[in-house]
Amino acid sequence: MDLNNNIKSIPVFSGTQWEAGMIKNLLENEQIESYVKDGIMASLNTFSSLPGGAIQVKVMVSNNDLDKSLKVINEYKKNVEEEK
């Protein structure tokens, strides 16, 4: 635990609402707490949340979990690329 209160939320992923939900679930499976930012705005304006749209949904984690989170996300991206 960071006793200096230097814990900050930082974005580790930005994409569609569906992808952000997938990333959030993958992080939770690894016991990494996360939350989705701008998800409500994307639901209210679904056109803007499409790829290339104005609203990108972000997945946020604690700066203490950054390295572990990036490993999970990079593995996800690698698997997505292999499927293409």
Side-chain angles (χ1 to χ4, degrees), residues 11-24 35-46 48-51 53-60:
V12 291
F13 180 82
S14 180
T16 66
Q17 189 169 9
W18 184 86
E19 285 179 305
M22 177 70 75
I23 295 292
K24 184 178 183 313
Y35 67 94
V36 174
K37 183 177 177 186
D38 299 328
I40 293 174
M41 291 302 295
S43 343
L44 294 173
N45 190 355
T46 55
S48 295
S49 65
L50 296 173
I55 299 175
Q56 292 289 303
V57 179
K58 296 172 186 67
V59 178
M60 309 292 287

Side-chain angles (χ1 to χ4, degrees), residues 24-77:
K24 184 178 183 313
N25 286 334
L26 291 171
L27 293 172
E28 287 176 356
N29 288 342
E30 297 296 323
Q31 287 74 48
I32 301 170
E33 292 185 34
S34 63
Y35 67 94
V36 174
K37 183 177 177 186
D38 299 328
I40 293 174
M41 291 302 295
S43 343
L44 294 173
N45 190 355
T46 55
F47 175 75
S48 295
S49 65
L50 296 173
I55 299 175
Q56 292 289 303
V57 179
K58 296 172 186 67
V59 178
M60 309 292 287
V61 299
S62 164
N63 59 325
N64 293 334
D65 293 325
L66 178 62
D67 293 336
K68 191 174 177 183
S69 299
L70 292 178
K71 287 178 186 177
V72 171
I73 293 167
N74 288 336
E75 185 66 26
Y76 165 77
K77 288 180 178 180

